[in-house]
Amino acid sequence: MKPPASPKTLGLSFRRALLALCLLGWGTAFPARAEDGYRLWLRYEPVRDETLRDAYSRSLSSLVVQGRSPTERILLEELQRGLKGMLGISPRVSEKVLEGSLLVGTPGTSPLVAGLKWDKELSQLGKDGYLLRTLPFQGHRATVVASLSPLGCLYGSFHLLRLLGARQSLDSLQIAEKPRIQRRLLDHWDNLDGTIERGYAGKSLWKWNPLPGRVDPRILDYARACASIGINGAVLNNVNADPRVLTGPYLEKAAALAGALRPYGVRVYLSANTGAPKVIGGLPTADPLDPAVEKWWKEKADEIYRLIPDFGGFLVKAGSEGQPGPQDYGRTHAQGADCLARALAPHGGVVMWRAFVYDDAVDADRIKRAYKEFKPLDGKFDANVFVQVKNGPLDFQPREPFHPLFGAMPHTQLAAELQVTQECLGHSTHLVYLGPLWKEFLDSDTFEKGPGSTVARVLDGSLEGHPDSAIAGVANTGDDRDWCGHPFAQANWYAFGRLAWDPSLSAQAVAEEWARLTWSDSPQAVSKILSMMMGSRETYVDYTTPLGLNGVFEKDLHYAPDPGMVDPRRLDWSAAYYNRADEKGLGFDRTRHGSDAVDQYHPPLPGRWNNLKPCPEEYLLWFHHVSWGYRMKSGRTFWEELCLRYGRGALETREMKQQWESLRGLVDGDRWQVVEGKLEQQVKEAALWRDKCLHYFQGFSHRPIAGETAWIGENSP
Ligand code: BDP
């Protein structure tokens, strides 16, 4: 016979049963609530493993947050939300550290944290850094999140919640974190009319019309999401900037947004149109060397800082794609940037001056132009200017070598611009995880100071000893319920933030974190999702632009294939200008016999890329015009290899879909269905890409499409 339960075990098992019921309740009630993707990676789903849940609950039985700043209030709420969701508990909020307390604070706001005397370690981590430790505290076992600033405490709290989300042990935490890059920005290409340039997830989140009176409450969830991954700045408006954003009424709107974002550590920046002194200021000129223009910018900066005391600064697209610039007055980019920088400097603001320029008078090869314009200006920019350079020298393609300006301007602070929104990567329809693309870029060796001079080290300032550092991602957010238009596009927002904080993280580790937080804690589900994500970028490259190919996208939309496209407006907007298909072969000759773009890089890269044999196959057509019969490393001819890559990419989309189908039931049905529908479209479109491109190139190669029977006919155009 079973012995009767002692009152103690009865109590415990009763509590367990109650908890199990609650969890069961969540388990059943939860799917009934539509899973619409709104909660992103902050879902805080219940921990189903009872032992783990009990261990967590014991470690986090009370919360001690002594500071009362808005940021500390936010972190307390976030911890409460997270613990309620994951553990079903509402820990006591206390002023005393007891067994299982979580203490969060700064030495300035919390006497208990000050008593730890961690000042030296904390000062090494800077104001955004934090310590996260488990330790004996006045005879009790406690967990501590400490930082010099409330914002660092918020970042540390999110870190703790991430550990719980990933179901990791909290037993002996000894974590010290600080961001490697100081300014981690999202650039929103949002227009004042609510549309978003290259936005594929609805309209702008900002809702300019009801501002400043009403700030859309959704902004707070945007800010939470940003803070959870360390993003600390948002450029609110499109780089093709409407000058009106700098008028009083819009500045008041921006100030209202800044007020909402501030407690989450997200500073506001604005894109400035260099023609503003003329267009909204009524001056006869916008010449940056004209004293009246200089005065106008100074007064404008003063006005902005009266409204937004922590305003970050200006992002500027000048002398590019129809935007006005200093060149209109015979001035250089440095003269233009410095004029704005002088206005912002007294307030601590910065200028992010974009190097996305390609004036065709500069060079016949578009990708060489920015380097030729900017490199001679190295050392001429003020200390509070960043030159913001896209990752590659062309324009956010599925694969490009890194931009040669990284490594070429040692006396200038360089910021990187990545594109989170998938302009040339399948918009919000194709599943493409961009972590591997960004890692390829960040880990690229510029050889500026010999081996190991990676782009990441240029960016974090360590290579040249610059005090400030910055990275920006062109946002993929909009007012669609799921923020990004595709449940998997959320991973790119997440990965941008995580890699901006720490470029040494691996794309796989970031994807795994995201998958667990966003989809499921089942190891089986996570491993399938991971394998889909990790291969997705290479798959996309294969069925769109394999082997270093570029310039096959349709005009303007940049979504569908159109390898023969001719744009009457500009030669360098035409597909043929890039892919150069002819009877001899395919690709752009950028060797010393061609445009000599290879020599914009430091040795040994030119040697590697100038010759066909050592050139890595992924850059082949970027640097070479390759004959159709050229023997590849595989022994296949170049034409056969091209066919194989297109075919392989399209096939892999089918495999991706099969993998997703095997996840049915392992993730919630609502989002499963959405992804399934998108994958179906992706499979069809990948086949279309393959067929359209191969048929077009076959018109030049006159060779049979290898493996044709395997795919031609299903979705031929
Ligand atoms: C291109 C986009 C265009 C942007 C431009 C830029 O097609 O919409 O305005 O870049 O970055 O990729 O300025």
Side-chain angles (χ1 to χ4, degrees), residues 47-109:
V47 176
R48 284 164 209 280
D49 177 327
E50 209 173 287
T51 318
L52 188 62
R53 198 176 57 235
D54 285 352
Y56 284 159
S57 305
R58 278 196 304 274
S59 303
L60 301 165
S61 56
S62 65
L63 301 174
V64 187
V65 182
Q66 295 178 296
R68 295 285 176 266
S69 68
T71 305
E72 280 153 316
R73 273 206 300 275
I74 284 167
L75 73 84
L76 182 60
E77 269 170 35
E78 194 70 32
L79 288 166
Q80 287 169 325
R81 184 184 293 128
L83 300 183
K84 178 102 190 113
M86 288 188 278
L87 310 177
I89 59 171
S90 304
R92 209 160 1 104
V93 178
S94 149
E95 286 293 311
K96 280 217 307 250
V97 173
L98 304 167
E99 184 64 21
S101 284
L102 169 63
L103 166 64
V104 188
T106 74
T109 56

Side-chain angles (χ1 to χ4, degrees), residues 121-376:
E121 282 153 287
L122 288 176
S123 66
Q124 281 163 0
L125 297 172
K127 62 177 185 19
D128 286 2
Y130 53 86
L131 291 169
L132 170 50
R133 292 179 171 169
T134 37
L135 71 164
F137 192 100
Q138 297 168 354
H140 301 294
R141 202 173 59 97
T143 307
V144 178
V145 175
S147 169
L148 285 185
S149 73
L151 181 59
C153 292
L154 178 62
Y155 291 152
S157 302
F158 274 118
H159 190 143
L160 183 76
L161 290 168
R162 212 157 49 224
L163 294 177
L164 260 71
R167 314 300 187 230
Q168 289 180 16
S169 161
L170 304 184
D171 281 351
S172 39
L173 299 176
Q174 288 298 326
I175 294 169
E177 273 281 335
K178 67 170 180 182
R180 265 183 61 191
I181 298 178
Q182 305 310 311
R183 295 172 193 264
R184 306 170 296 277
L185 270 61
L186 280 181
D187 288 0
H188 292 269
W189 287 359
D190 294 18
N191 298 313
L192 302 184
D193 65 2
T195 57
I196 304 178
E197 181 150 341
R198 310 303 175 187
Y200 313 108
K203 292 215 156 183
S204 172
L205 289 167
W206 312 136
K207 312 288 170 225
W208 291 105
N209 282 344
L211 283 169
R214 180 179 186 276
V215 178
D216 187 341
R218 186 168 181 170
I219 299 304
L220 303 184
D221 283 328
Y222 163 82
R224 280 175 61 224
C226 285
S228 74
I229 49 176
I231 287 170
N232 66 0
V235 180
L236 298 182
N237 60 315
N238 192 354
V239 283
N240 296 314
D242 187 328
R244 285 176 308 156
V245 79
L246 297 180
T247 58
Y250 274 100
L251 291 178
E252 279 175 26
K253 291 170 192 276
L257 288 172
L261 298 174
R262 185 169 297 119
Y264 299 84
V266 181
R267 287 170 79 181
V268 156
Y269 296 65
L270 291 173
S271 290
N273 183 311
T274 61
K278 244 170 107 175
V279 185
I280 60 166
L283 297 182
T285 175
D287 179 351
L289 295 196
D290 186 295
V293 171
E294 176 123 357
K295 181 163 169 278
W296 188 87
W297 282 111
K298 272 196 174 305
E299 285 170 2
K300 189 47 74 182
D302 296 344
E303 180 188 350
I304 295 175
Y305 279 91
R306 273 195 300 275
L307 291 163
I308 312 174
D310 56 352
F311 179 65
F314 292 136
L315 171 64
V316 184
K317 171 173 178 176
S320 169
E321 298 185 333
Q323 293 301 311
Q327 299 73 17
D328 303 342
Y329 307 95
R331 313 298 184 196
T332 67
H333 285 290
Q335 288 167 323
D338 291 348
C339 165
L340 270 60
R342 284 192 294 275
L344 295 169
H347 307 282
V350 298
V351 175
M352 331 273 293
W353 191 270
R354 298 175 86 228
F356 180 64
V357 296
Y358 53 98
D359 178 351
D360 52 12
V362 173
D363 196 283
D365 183 356
R366 169 170 162 179
I367 70 151
K368 290 176 64 190
R369 296 171 189 159
Y371 178 99
K372 286 175 86 168
E373 262 197 76
F374 274 84
K375 186 170 165 50

